[in-house]
Amino acid sequence: MVLLEGNRTTLKPYNEPGTEYITTSGRIIVRKQHALFGLFKENGEAIFEPQFDSIKYIGDDLFVCEEYGEGDFLINSSGKILFHEILCEIIPELNRSRIEYRLDDKSGMIDTTGEVLIPHKYWRFEFAGNLIACSEGGKLHLVTNNDRILDGRLFDEIKHLSDKTFIAHTTDTGTGVLYDENGNVMQHDIFTSDGQMRHGLIPVKDANDKFGYMNAAGEITIPCMYSLTTTFFDNGTAVFGNLQTNGEYQLGLLDTQGVTLLQAAYDEIQFSKNVYTVVRDGKFQLLNKQLQPLTGLSSDPLEYLGYEVYAVYKMKTKLEYKRRSIWLGSPGGLSLYKEGVVTGVYHFGHQLLIEGDEYDPTEDIPVCSEGFIAFKQKGLWGFLQF
């Protein structure tokens, strides 16, 4: 397998004998002998005889080679060892010509020549644009590549909006500061709560406690007009909500352009495996990604299992006895709790495939193929024709 690299910085497959990489030194081939890996030129000449337990190519003619008992080596395509410390770990990711390494459970940073830019002293370490978010204990702060603290702000995590912008986020307030890649402040006090960047948008709240969406440049592209907004699903839709007088939220669905796909009339909207599960007035229903019904309305909970198959549940109340615990301070005694019990597994064609008392979640889900689908009856499997 030939992998064209150039100056790419993404991690490629490794430890595959015969894998070839195109570098400025020519083709480099990974070869395996006696469970160890080595690097060879195209003409068969050894750059390193098999001695490593793993080899990872990280781009820019650089390999991270691990040898048990010795640690990691940063090696270029000419075979020169650029960096190595006994028992150090080199994180196999190249970020703007910077590489994280860990030694004694602390992180530092080297460049592509192996020069140490920041010695290992940080318990937490993350690249943020052209800066680093790091901590010697406690909250994070931003530092430059020469280990100079950028400003006095402290925060809990980084939210990457793009390769050009990021938010330094404080979890207890839900707010953060928007920075460009060089650490220039673009906006203060952006409320993102626990929302994440998806499809170029992140949910935000304005000064009037209304929610909308912001892009990576800090621009509000979907107006703040909702009582809540959520992170976009993988398919480019997201749940929004409007607060009712009873304190409950009615939920709807919108797309990345802010177009309403479902009006705010639902108690719950979930999306998994290309199927929506919606709840309205206590009734459950499954919808396809075009929002067309796959099932009728059900008073019982539904769960999509995949392969056009879903389970129907009944909620049962159970009585449980718990012993007193002096360690947890639990008084023990009898308690009631509710449990969902499968009553049947069905195909979207409404055929019953498995009775609830025969359902075993550890078994494979019945799959429809070639006009047939598996079903189970009295412990034995057979096929239904469609």
Side-chain angles (χ1 to χ4, degrees):
M1 177 171 60
V2 178
L3 301 175
L4 301 178
E5 290 297 331
N7 289 321
R8 300 283 293 277
T9 59
T10 53
L11 179 62
K12 297 298 182 183
Y14 60 94
N15 284 9
E16 296 180 10
T19 299
E20 300 181 6
Y21 301 95
I22 305 300
T23 72
T24 57
S25 301
R27 287 182 194 269
I28 305 298
I29 304 170
V30 176
R31 291 183 178 169
K32 182 179 181 181
Q33 184 177 4
H34 304 306
L36 297 176
F37 297 86
L39 294 173
F40 292 81
K41 295 181 180 179
E42 188 176 12
N43 62 8
E45 180 183 347
I47 300 173
F48 269 97
E49 295 286 352
Q51 68 182 73
F52 300 111
D53 295 280
S54 71
I55 294 176
K56 307 176 181 74
Y57 182 70
I58 63 173
D60 286 2
D61 293 349
L62 297 173
F63 295 85
V64 174
C65 302
E66 179 190 11
E67 185 175 343
Y68 291 155
E70 286 290 326
D72 290 348
F73 297 76
L74 182 67
I75 297 172
N76 66 17
S77 57
S78 299
K80 181 179 179 180
I81 297 176
L82 303 176
F83 179 80
H84 171 65
E85 295 282 351
I86 295 294
L87 300 182
C88 82
E89 176 188 5
I90 299 174
I91 308 303
E93 176 188 351
L94 187 60
N95 186 295
R96 304 189 185 207
S97 299
R98 303 167 302 175
I99 304 166
E100 178 189 356
Y101 75 97
R102 291 187 61 80
L103 188 60
D104 300 327
D105 293 326
K106 296 181 181 179
S107 291
M109 186 175 73
I110 57 178
D111 64 16
T112 54
T113 69
E115 179 183 353
V116 175
L117 302 177
I118 298 177
H120 60 282
K121 63 178 183 178
Y122 291 115
W123 290 102
R124 299 174 63 192
F125 185 100
E126 182 178 354
F127 294 115
N130 289 320
L131 304 170
I132 299 97
C134 52
S135 169
E136 293 185 65
K139 289 184 176 289
L140 298 167
H141 57 262
L142 294 173
V143 303
T144 63
N145 288 333
N146 59 7
D147 207 17
R148 178 180 61 84
I149 295 179
L150 180 71
D151 56 39
R153 294 182 179 89
L154 297 174
F155 50 93
D156 300 300
E157 63 181 3
I158 288 289
K159 291 187 176 184
H160 298 276
L161 304 190
S162 70
D163 59 349
K164 300 290 185 182
T165 58
F166 63 90
I167 292 177
H169 186 252
T170 303
T171 55
D172 58 351
T173 63
T175 60
V177 177
L178 178 65
Y179 290 90
D180 70 12
E181 60 186 326
N182 296 314
N184 299 308
V185 175
M186 299 175 64
Q187 289 188 44
H188 292 276
D189 299 325
I190 296 176
F191 183 92
T192 59
S193 187
D194 58 352
Q196 299 299 318
M197 193 72 169
R198 291 269 185 85
H199 294 279
L201 296 171
I202 187 170
V204 294
K205 184 175 73 173
D206 67 9
N208 298 315
D209 289 337
K210 290 294 185 180
F211 283 82
Y213 290 90
M214 183 183 77
N215 66 16
E219 302 163 338
I220 301 297
T221 59
I222 298 179
C224 294
M225 54 186 289
Y226 308 101
S227 299
L228 69 85
T229 52
T230 64
T231 299
F232 273 89
F233 297 126
D234 291 339
N235 71 334
T237 64
V239 175
F240 70 90
N242 291 326
L243 186 62
Q244 307 301 299
T245 55
N246 62 1
E248 301 291 334
Y249 287 93
Q250 288 291 287
L251 306 179
L253 196 71
L254 51 75
D255 65 14
T256 55
Q257 303 303 311
V259 175
T260 299
L261 304 177
L262 288 177
Q263 296 294 329
Y266 294 86
D267 305 313
E268 185 62 65
I269 301 175
Q270 299 178 1
F271 183 75
S272 176
K273 303 173 184 175
N274 285 322
V275 168
Y276 292 97
T277 302
V278 298
V279 184
R280 182 176 182 177
D281 298 327
K283 303 288 188 180
F284 292 77
Q285 191 172 32
L286 301 180
L287 310 177
N288 64 17
K289 57 185 178 181
Q290 289 80 32
L291 300 174
Q292 299 166 334
L294 294 169
T295 67
L297 296 174
S298 170
S299 298
D300 298 320
L302 306 179
E303 179 189 13
Y304 181 57
L305 303 178
Y307 303 107
E308 301 184 355
V309 173
Y310 65 97
V312 180
Y313 288 79
K314 280 284 189 186
M315 301 305 296
K316 293 187 177 181
T317 302
K318 289 196 173 185
L319 185 65
E320 183 181 63
Y321 174 75
K322 291 184 178 180
R323 297 182 62 181
R324 180 187 301 273
S325 172
I326 61 174
W327 303 108
L328 301 177
S330 171
L334 295 171
S335 61
L336 291 172
Y337 70 96
K338 288 194 173 184
E339 179 181 57
V341 179
V342 173
T343 60
V345 174
Y346 296 81
H347 183 262
F348 284 151
H350 308 300
Q351 289 87 351
L352 175 63
L353 303 177
I354 306 173
E355 291 278 4
D357 56 1
E358 295 201 76
Y359 174 65
D360 182 352
T362 65
E363 292 181 335
D364 291 337
I365 300 170
V367 177
C368 184
S369 178
E370 304 297 329
F372 293 88
I373 190 167
F375 76 101
K376 187 179 183 182
Q377 195 172 79
K378 296 181 179 179
L380 300 175
W381 287 90
F383 291 93
L384 292 172
Q385 185 173 9
F386 277 74

